[in-house]
Amino acid sequence: MKVGILGCGAIANIITNFAVEGKLGVDLNFFYDRDMERAENLASQVDGTVALDINSMLENVDLVIEAAAPQAVSETVPLVLEHGVDVIIMSIGALMDTELRKTLENLAAKNNAKIYAPSGAIVGLDGIKAASIGKIQSATLVTRKPPRSLGVSAEEETILYEGKAGDAVRKFPMNINVAAALSLACGKEVDVKIIADPSVDRNMHEVQVIGDFGEIKTITQNVRCSMNPKTSVMAAYSAIKLLNSLNETFRIGT
Ligand SMILES: NC(=O)C1=CN([C@@H]2O[C@H](COP(=O)(O)OP(=O)(O)OC[C@H]3O[C@@H](n4cnc5c(N)ncnc54)[C@H](OP(=O)(O)O)[C@@H]3O)[C@@H](O)[C@H]2O)C=CC1
Ligand SMILES: O=C([O-])CC(=O)C(=O)O
C-alpha cells in the first residue's frame, strides 16, 4: 500500500521514523506540507517524494494520513475521498461538524474509500465503543497539560475551559481532538474540562463514562512530542498501529 502524509510536523516525524526502521507495514512515499522544507526533510529520510500540491500526491497513493490541522480536513479530505483514496484523520476535532462528517462519509461511500479516525492520544475507545451499544448516561473528559502545551503561562492550576466537546474543539483546535474522538466513540457529545497545570510534565486525559454496562475510568499520562508539546507521542503511535493493522488477518479489540 502506498501512503502519503499531509502535514509534516510532530506526528509525521514519528511516523516517518518508523518508516525508516521498516516498521510501518506500508510504503510511505509522498509528503506534503505548506512549509516545503518540512516535507523535504521527511521525504529525504525515506527516499520519498515531495508533493508540490495535494493533487499530485493523490494520483500516486492509496491512503493519505492527514496530520496537519482541522482546517485541512474540510479543505483537503473531500478531494482525497473523491479520488477514491482512503484517509486517516488525526485532526478529528473537525469531525464534530456533523455536516462535514456526513459529507465525508457520503463521499467515501460513493468513491469506495475509507475514513479512519484512530484513537489518537486517548485510551479506552475500544470499551467505550462497546458500551455505546447500550445506553450511555454521562461521559466526561478532563484534560490536564503543562501550560506550555496549551500555549499559556500559569503559575498555578488554572481551568481554561469547561463545556461541551464541540465548543472545546473550536476554541482549542490543536489541543483537544481527544474530546472529538471520545464523543464520536460514545455517540454523545462529552463534557470537557481543560486545565493548565504547571505541576505536570505530561499531557493527561482522564475519562469517565457511565452507562447501563457500568462504569469506565481511564487515565492517560502521555509523553509529549519533542517537536510539538501540545501533541502526545501516543497520537502518532495510534496512527502507526492502525497502519500496521491494515494488513492484519486477526484483529483484537472492538
Ligand atoms: N487525534 C488526536 O488524538 C490528536 C490529534 N492531533 C492533531 O493532529 C494534527 C497534527 O498534529 P502535529 O503533528 O502535532 O501538528 P504540527 O503542528 O506539529 O504539524 C502540522 C504540520 O502541518 C502543516 N499544516 C497545517 N495545515 C496545513 C494545510 N492546510 N496544508 C498543508 N500543511 C498544513 C503545519 O504547518 P504550519 O506550522 O504552518 O501550521 C505543520 O507543518 C493537528 O491537527 C493536531 O491537533 C494532535 C494530537 C492528538
Ligand atoms: O496529544 C494530546 O495529548 C491531545 C491533543 O493534543 C489533542 O487531542 O489534540
Side-chain angles (χ1 to χ4, degrees):
M1 180 179 272
K2 289 198 169 70
V3 173
I5 289 196
L6 159 61
C8 296
I11 289 177
N13 264 268
I14 294 175
I15 294 174
T16 306
N17 288 342
F18 274 72
V20 169
E21 291 174 20
K23 291 182 183 164
L24 220 49
V26 295
D27 295 325
L28 182 59
N29 311 101
F30 287 86
F31 297 83
Y32 175 67
D33 196 291
R34 58 185 168 204
D35 179 335
M36 203 181 288
E37 224 173 274
R38 288 187 197 150
E40 277 165 1
N41 172 39
L42 295 189
S44 67
Q45 294 179 40
V46 290
D47 205 13
T49 303
V50 174
L52 297 180
D53 56 47
I54 195 74
N55 271 307
S56 59
M57 182 194 281
L58 293 177
E59 298 303 326
N60 295 292
V61 297
D62 307 298
L63 182 144
V64 168
I65 305 165
E66 177 285 318
Q71 212 184 343
V73 177
S74 54
E75 284 174 2
T76 310
V77 171
L79 207 60
V80 175
L81 296 170
E82 277 162 13
H83 278 73
V85 170
D86 296 341
V87 65
I88 292 179
I89 296 179
M90 296 309 299
S91 308
I92 185 175
L95 302 182
M96 288 305 286
D97 176 342
T98 311
E99 204 175 311
L100 174 64
R101 193 170 77 246
K102 292 278 167 232
T103 302
L104 298 183
E105 281 179 21
N106 289 338
L107 280 173
K110 193 169 151 203
N111 295 289
N112 199 24
K114 287 216 157 46
I115 304 168
Y116 300 100
S119 46
I122 210 161
V123 302
L125 292 196
D126 52 351
I128 292 167
K129 274 165 65 185
S132 74
I133 294 298
K135 233 187 170 58
I136 289 186
Q137 277 132 25
S138 70
T140 58
L141 166 69
V142 179
T143 287
R144 184 182 294 271
K145 293 189 181 184
R148 197 167 84 86
S149 289
L150 289 157
V152 298
S153 53
E155 299 295 315
E156 56 189 37
E157 185 181 300
T158 308
I159 297 173
L160 295 186
Y161 179 82
E162 252 184 303
K164 291 286 182 190
D167 186 41
V169 300
R170 276 189 295 277
K171 294 197 167 123
F172 296 85
M174 298 299 276
N175 255 310
I176 199 79
N177 289 279
V178 284
L182 186 56
S183 299
L184 293 170
C186 279
K188 187 182 178 78
E189 196 177 359
V190 305
D191 296 308
V192 178
K193 197 188 270 191
I194 303 174
I195 300 170
D197 186 345
S199 73
V200 300
D201 64 354
R202 301 243 165 122
N203 291 337
M204 296 169 59
H205 306 293
E206 201 170 330
V207 173
Q208 184 184 37
V209 178
I210 299 174
D212 61 7
F213 68 96
E215 181 175 354
I216 292 171
K217 277 187 183 170
T218 69
I219 300 176
T220 316
Q221 303 188 356
N222 286 323
V223 170
R224 297 173 289 162
C225 292
S226 51
M227 219 182 137
N228 179 357
K230 293 184 179 77
T231 293
S232 300
V233 168
M234 177 70 105
Y237 283 7
S238 87
I240 293 165
K241 187 65 193 168
L242 173 57
L243 288 167
N244 287 168
S245 73
L246 294 176
N247 290 323
E248 279 173 358
T249 47
F250 171 75
R251 190 165 292 190
I252 186 95
T254 51

